Every structure is written in C-alpha cells, then in structure tokens.
Amino acid sequence: LQKKGYEVIGLTGWLIKGSGRCCDNGMVDAAKVCKQIGVNHISKDLRVFFKQEIVDPFINSYSIGSTPIPCITCNTTIKWGSLMDYAFSELGCSHIATGHYAKLTETCHGMSVLRSKDQRKDQTFMLWGLTQDVLSKTVFPLGDLTKDEVRKIAKEGGLVVADKEESQDICFVSDKEG
C-alpha cells in the first residue's frame, strides 16, 4: 500500500488477553512490522465489546448444539464495525485494508467480492455480511497474490513475521495453557 502511494496507519483491535493468545501475539507482531516499515501503530481496546458480541454468543450457541462461526460475526461487528468506525471517526481514514485473500470489483450493481488468486487461501466466504458501503471503503491488497508470494515479499523486506506460523483456529479458543 505504501508503494502504491497510500498513507498507511497500522490499527489492531485488542480483542483478548492471555499468554500465547493469537490476538496478543498478533498485536505485538503488528506493532513490530509497523516499526520496521515506518508506520504508526495504534491498538484499540475492544476486549469487553469482543467478549459481549463474539465470545459470549459463541459459548451460548455452542452450548445448545449449534455450530457458530464467530469469524464472520467478528468481521462484520469488529473489523468492519468498531475498528472501521474508529479508523474513520477518530483517525480520519478514508479506507481500511485487511489481509484477507479476496478481491473487489465494481459492477453496475455495486461492489462485488471475487475469489483471490490463491484459491487455497481464498476467504471470500468470510465476507458475506459486508455491506456495499463498507466494501466501497475497503482495500484487499493480497487478492492478486498467493501466500507464497506474500511470504517472499515479507522475507525480502526482512519483516519479523515472514516465517510466522499460520493460525486457522478460532482466536479465543486455545489448547495451550496460559
């Protein structure tokens, strides 16, 4: 995004606290990467909101035998909800960008979400709840790249997360003690 001329701010939602939790580790990693590339990093404390809107409903749904998908709710409520509102109202941003593997195109009917170049990492199914207004203010810089290409760019840039293990689990459920 910097190479394309965007003014970039790093913004991370602090969603949960605990040793080894991906949200804590991810926030620290985001701050490190921002420092490496000369970008200001801001963290927004959303722990109470996240528990109320994502964790508690997940537990309630699971306890009655449903199969909840908290990541979709988190996308619409947290990432493209609270964080986007904060970015626009408090930081003066005009767009948000995420690391989701997806693409956008404008059609005569509005914005359409398209599958990413990397079919193995495609995340369009996680974005079904996003509105046209939200999509018009979103950038998906990884949509035309594969995961291997992203890793190569990160390694060439010497980023601390270049070899970071992938997480595909629910972020607030861990089999690690801590």
Side-chain angles (χ1 to χ4, degrees), residues 101 116-121 142-153:
Y101 284 86
S116 68
K117 176 181 176 181
D118 193 337
Q119 297 295 302
R120 298 172 303 131
K121 295 295 175 187
L142 304 184
D144 288 319
L145 299 169
T146 66
K147 182 73 170 193
D148 293 337
E149 290 169 332
V150 171
R151 291 250 189 227
K152 182 180 179 202
I153 292 167

Side-chain angles (χ1 to χ4, degrees), residues 2 4 19 30 38 40 52 56 60 67 79 84 86 91 116 120 139-140 143 154 162 173:
Q2 286 176 309
K4 290 183 177 184
S19 174
N40 187 28
Q52 290 171 344
D56 291 345
N60 293 337
T67 306
K79 293 176 186 166
M84 185 178 214
Y86 179 77
L91 304 178
S116 68
R120 298 172 303 131
V139 178
F140 293 114
V173 176

